[in-house]
Amino acid sequence: MTESQARRFADHWLRAWNGHDAEAILDQFAPDVAYTSSLLADAPECTLLGREAAGAYIRAGLQRYPNLRFRPKTVYAG
C-alpha cells in the first residue's frame, strides 16, 4: 500500500466512523470477517463472526455513543 492509498483509506474510514455510517464502515469488511474486541466478553473468544454480527455490534455502539468521533494522529503505509 502506498502512502497516498493509506491516506485515502484512512480518510474513508474516518468519514464513515465520524459520520456514524455503519454501511460505509462495513464496506471495509469481508463477508466472513472475524471481528475481535476485548469489549465482547459475551462472545466466544471475544470474537464476532461474519459481517452481519459485526454490523449489529457496530450499529449498537454508534447508537450508544452518538458523539463518538475519531481524529487521526498519523497514517502509516505498509
Side-chain angles (χ1 to χ4, degrees), residues 1-11 75-78:
M1 177 178 281
T2 67
E3 187 173 331
S4 66
Q5 289 170 323
R7 288 187 188 282
R8 280 194 305 274
F9 176 82
D11 288 344
V75 175
Y76 295 99

Side-chain angles (χ1 to χ4, degrees), residues 14-68:
L14 287 166
R15 273 194 311 276
W17 277 102
N18 290 338
H20 287 223
D21 185 344
E23 296 311 312
I25 295 166
L26 292 168
D27 282 346
Q28 302 301 315
F29 293 102
D32 61 346
V33 64
Y35 188 93
T36 301
S37 170
S38 61
L39 301 176
L40 290 166
D42 294 340
E45 298 182 33
C46 298
T47 300
L48 298 172
L49 299 177
R51 191 183 292 166
E52 186 175 322
Y57 176 72
I58 289 168
R59 285 183 192 90
L62 292 173
Q63 287 180 343
R64 185 171 181 185
Y65 299 99
N67 296 319
L68 179 70

